[in-house]
Amino acid sequence: MQIAQDVVVAIHYTLTDDKGEVLDSSSGADPLAYIHGSGGIISGLEEALLGKVAGDKLKVAIPAEKAYGAHEPGLIQQVPKRAFQGAGEIKAGMRFTAQTEHGPRQVVVTRVAGDMVTIDGNHPLAGQDLNFDVEIIEVRAATAEELEHGHVHGAGGHHH
Ligand code: ZN
């Protein structure tokens, strides 16, 4: 069976940056399972996997714009410390979900100076070209329930 819209795909992957440093890997865990075409993985990787079959191995270089997007300076903001009331002491590296005009967004504190806190709403991998080493473990039809839920059930997916 070939990878196509709405099929369930399970892959093992290793993600490296342009310097060859490993950023993430499914090694030692369940393969990553997703429904093809549902937006579950980055678009550049979906494009590369289309038409492939179980057992295929591939290396894919994905430019930032087809990965997690450009790093947007506009997503870096200065907010007063009092906006974090109840969160305890604010330190660089802390993560929060901030309410923004575009809905809830994950932000990380990058700097605390006096009463001002700098937060960055960019994805940690924004602006980075990524390299994936992928092995396709399984390709199968999605169940009606999986398509309805928009995610994979079982190994590498949701258990409920
Ligand atoms: Zn479900």
Side-chain angles (χ1 to χ4, degrees):
M1 185 173 191
Q2 286 187 312
I3 295 178
Q5 180 71 34
D6 291 343
V7 305
V8 170
V9 183
I11 58 171
H12 269 305
Y13 67 94
T14 298
L15 168 61
T16 52
D17 64 15
D18 270 351
K19 296 177 202 81
E21 191 181 330
V22 175
L23 302 173
D24 192 15
S25 173
S26 63
S27 175
D30 279 338
L32 171 75
Y34 74 97
I35 298 175
H36 198 82
S38 69
I41 63 170
I42 58 176
S43 66
L45 191 53
E46 279 208 331
E47 283 175 22
L49 289 170
L50 187 67
K52 298 288 190 290
V53 297
D56 281 355
K57 292 181 182 181
L58 58 158
K59 289 180 192 292
V60 196
I62 301 174
E65 61 266 25
K66 288 196 171 181
Y68 292 97
H71 188 270
E72 294 181 39
L75 293 175
I76 299 171
Q77 292 180 346
Q78 303 257 13
V79 293
K81 238 183 201 171
R82 60 182 148 73
F84 295 88
Q85 250 174 16
E89 193 190 344
I90 305 301
K91 289 182 188 155
M94 292 174 87
R95 293 183 179 279
F96 293 93
T97 301
Q99 298 304 322
T100 73
E101 53 196 278
H102 306 295
R105 187 180 264 278
Q106 282 286 115
V107 301
V108 62
V109 173
T110 54
R111 188 161 180 264
V112 181
D115 284 337
M116 294 304 285
V117 177
T118 306
I119 57 172
D120 187 345
N122 284 286
H123 187 280
L125 296 176
Q128 289 203 47
D129 297 335
L130 302 176
N131 301 293
F132 280 89
D133 235 313
V134 179
E135 179 179 3
I136 300 165
I137 304 299
E138 186 186 14
V139 182
R140 65 165 170 86
T143 65
E145 193 184 42
E146 286 172 326
L147 289 175
E148 191 184 314
H149 289 197
H151 55 231
V152 175
H153 292 160
H158 287 240
H159 299 270
H160 64 98

